């Protein structure tokens, strides 16, 4: 009851292109109670909600990783020149020092630069 887990695919507003896949553990007691309904609705990305609310926080990456693209091919179709995806494990920390959320963020392939 103190944790809310969310799986998300963030997409561009116009074309709907996936730009990030994420797994988020949100620690509800770290947030003001007035934000809980908005967090639990899942309608607004957590970063947008934090910025909109004015709650002070910072990003504290814990590590970076790479993984084969096959588990996420449904999210990120294979791109030329890449079978590896890259990501980071990140903590969002409140200014008082407690953790707001733990996040795995994975980015899509980028096609080879034609230049």
């Amino acid at each position: 009851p103190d944790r809310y887990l969310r799986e998300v695919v963030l997409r561009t507003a116009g074309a709907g292109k996936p730009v990030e896949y994420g797994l988020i553990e949100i620690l509800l007691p770290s947030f003001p109670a007035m934000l809980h309904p908005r967090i639990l609705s899942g309608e607004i990305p957590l970063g947008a909600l934090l910025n909109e609310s004015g709650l002070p926080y910072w990003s504290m990456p814990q590590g970076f990783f790479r993984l084969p693209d096959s588990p996420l091919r449904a999210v990120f179709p294979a791109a030329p020149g890449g079978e590896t995806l890259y990501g980071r494990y990140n903590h969002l920390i409140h200014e008082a020092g407690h953790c707001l959320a733990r996040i795995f963020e994975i980015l899509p392939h980028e096609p080879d630069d034609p230049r």
Side-chain angles (χ1 to χ4, degrees), residues 3 6 10 15 18 25 29 33 35 37-39 41-43 46-47 50 52 55 65 70 82 87 90-91 101 108 114:
R3 294 189 171 116
R6 187 186 282 184
L10 298 180
E25 176 188 30
L35 290 179
R38 297 190 69 205
I39 292 169
S41 77
E43 294 176 8
L46 182 61
L50 284 166
E52 180 185 296
L55 189 68
F65 58 91
S70 53
N90 191 27
H91 288 177

Side-chain angles (χ1 to χ4, degrees), residues 2-81:
D2 291 343
R3 294 189 171 116
Y4 175 62
L5 302 176
R6 187 186 282 184
E7 179 181 28
V8 299
V9 177
L10 298 180
R11 299 179 183 276
T12 59
K17 178 183 173 185
V19 293
E20 180 181 296
Y21 171 81
L23 296 171
I24 308 169
E25 176 188 30
I26 300 170
L27 306 171
L28 290 171
S30 297
F31 288 84
M34 66 180 196
L35 290 179
H36 291 189
R38 297 190 69 205
I39 292 169
L40 295 173
S41 77
E43 294 176 8
I44 301 171
L46 182 61
L49 182 62
L50 284 166
N51 293 336
E52 180 185 296
S53 73
L55 189 68
Y57 73 97
W58 71 88
S59 175
M60 184 180 283
Q62 302 295 301
F64 299 88
F65 58 91
R66 62 179 174 219
L67 70 154
D69 72 348
S70 53
L72 290 173
R73 242 186 229 140
V75 176
F76 303 129

